[in-house]
Amino acid sequence: MKTRLLTPGPTPLPEEVRLTLAMDMVHHRKEGFTALLGEIQQGLKWLFGTEQPVIPLTCSGTGAMTAAVGNLFKPGEQVLVIEGGKFGERWGEIAGTHGLDCAVMTVPWGKAVTVEHVETALKNYPDAKGILIQASETSTGVLHPIKELAAFTRERDLMLVVDGISAVGISPCPMDEWGIDCLLTGSQKGLMLPPGLAFIALSERAWKRVEEIKPRNFYFNLLGERAKIMVNNQTNFTPAINLLMGLSTCLDLFQERTMEEVFRTQWALTQMARAGAKALGLELLAKDHYTWGLTSIRLPAGVDGAVLLKACAERYGVVMAGGQGHLKGRIVRMGHMGHVDFADVMAGLYALAQGLKLTGGHSGSRDYLERAMEAFETSLADGPPADLC
Ligand SMILES: *Cc1c(COP(=O)(O)O)cnc(C)c1O
């Protein structure tokens, strides 16, 4: 049986990428590789929508979150953390470890924050130097309004730090156009690579802040990394060479397809998963503001999520994720980011329906696959709504 990885990271790999990853080592200070890093830099800037350098880091996504906090803020400074899920919580943990004065604004899991709420919260925290938020909160499937928030923060002396780990390459998040101060992502979600690389870019004013603060990190030292990449097309330490070669292949694939096309497909897959789940009689966790790379689906009362997920994997080869924190066992998170197509989502919906039958929760219509495909076709033709782009 074929295994289908429908998890919100890691995601499946295109064959071209797997073949690149299988190549022999090259040396990271020699000309061939530095030329490749130069090309990758252009590709990453294009992907992030920025004129600023995009720094590759050898670590998982959380490493880039740590780098952001450690380089942009001094211990004792205040930040506002938007916490609407597991990864929002992580911002708070990282900021706390770094000795920041952390003001946490909780948002009900499944809901997006609003600019008005942030504005009100900031009245109590006039000294806040930045806002730490997810573009897409992967634990709930919520898409936060980054464009609107950036329009708000760019007028103020307030850094907008965006964890785009399940957004970059999945839904629009053009850094310079929107006015984001720090955008970061990891390799194993939308970018169709194995885990092990992260990327971080800062706005002009964010770089000024880093220059003033002069952070003392040895490893995640963004000033040092910027100098090295801009002058020599190198990284300060040995990077994950084969992952960077794989990234070059991924960027080629993105450029051939165009981001417009990638976003259109991600949008259509999302509509497909949502329509299918609804036709199965299921409720969606993120109702209005949902991400384009995963769909979080509530399970009917009495259905054991762990049993259902195990059945999907063992009987149909479909690997999906469950809930985290208080949502453990209560939701299914179907990933459809990266190298995933309509046939994968169809397999996901079918496995889910069968899993529900086994666990006593199936109550929806029999034509859920047709409805899902209809939603896919219509959304592919119409494209995503302009206000989200
Ligand atoms: C996956 C994910 C992370 C964690 O990334 P790691 O690579 O596991 O460190 C953080 N934030 C978001 C939004 C994610 O989706």
Side-chain angles (χ1 to χ4, degrees), residues 44 71 73 90 136 140 177 189 300-301 337 355 367 373:
L44 283 173
N71 282 267
F73 305 104
R90 186 166 300 177
S136 151
T140 60
E177 192 189 318
K189 312 255 168 129
M337 59 179 84
D367 64 349
M373 278 316 294

Side-chain angles (χ1 to χ4, degrees), residues 277-353:
K278 279 191 206 159
L280 282 170
L282 300 171
E283 199 190 327
L284 298 162
L285 178 65
K287 295 218 165 52
D288 310 317
H289 305 276
Y290 45 87
T291 85
W292 302 11
L294 74 134
T295 297
S296 46
I297 305 162
R298 283 190 194 274
L299 293 172
V303 171
D304 183 332
V307 175
L308 180 137
L309 286 175
K310 196 154 179 274
C312 291
E314 284 175 1
R315 294 180 180 228
Y316 303 100
V318 173
V319 183
M320 294 183 284
Q324 293 160 295
H326 70 266
L327 292 174
K328 203 169 162 55
R330 304 301 330 129
I331 62 168
V332 164
R333 290 180 303 144
M334 183 193 292
H336 36 77
M337 59 179 84
H339 187 56
V340 166
D341 70 2
F342 74 93
D344 295 315
V345 173
M346 201 180 279
L349 289 169
Y350 183 75
L352 180 62

Side-chain angles (χ1 to χ4, degrees), residues 110-268:
K111 294 266 185 311
V113 76
T114 65
V115 178
E116 294 71 47
H117 276 130
V118 170
E119 211 174 341
T120 312
L122 282 169
K123 296 215 168 86
N124 295 325
Y125 309 112
D127 297 332
K129 300 284 186 237
I131 298 179
L132 309 181
I133 190 169
Q134 272 60 42
S136 151
E137 173 51 79
T138 319
S139 65
T140 60
V142 162
L143 194 69
H144 286 305
I146 298 303
K147 188 182 185 177
E148 288 74 17
L149 270 173
F152 172 78
T153 53
R154 72 198 299 180
E155 303 298 325
R156 289 166 181 76
D157 186 18
L158 201 57
M159 294 285 122
L160 183 65
V161 181
V162 178
D163 164 0
I165 298 180
S166 64
V168 173
I170 298 166
S171 59
C173 200
M175 179 169 161
D176 290 359
E177 192 189 318
W178 285 4
I180 297 167
D181 290 297
C182 172
L183 182 63
L184 59 93
T185 192
S187 51
Q188 79 276 23
K189 312 255 168 129
L191 300 192
M192 310 181 290
L193 280 169
L197 276 183
F199 310 95
I200 184 166
L202 304 185
S203 68
E204 229 175 312
R205 67 173 193 169
W207 277 117
K208 284 213 182 82
R209 198 173 156 73
V210 184
E211 285 158 12
E212 278 161 27
I213 291 180
K214 297 189 184 61
R216 298 169 62 167
N217 319 36
F218 188 78
Y219 192 68
F220 290 137
N221 188 308
L222 296 183
L223 287 174
E225 292 297 342
R226 179 178 66 168
K228 198 78 176 178
I229 199 104
M230 285 178 78
V231 178
N232 302 328
N233 278 330
Q234 292 187 26
T235 51
N236 266 324
F237 312 105
T238 316
I241 295 169
N242 64 333
L243 292 180
L244 285 164
M245 297 195 316
L247 173 66
S248 160
T249 304
C250 288
L251 288 168
D252 288 347
L253 293 175
F254 274 127
Q255 275 167 342
E256 274 163 33
R257 276 187 73 193
T258 76
M259 287 324 286
E260 199 206 342
E261 185 56 35
V262 170
F263 295 151
R264 180 178 282 264
T265 308
Q266 283 303 136
W267 171 254

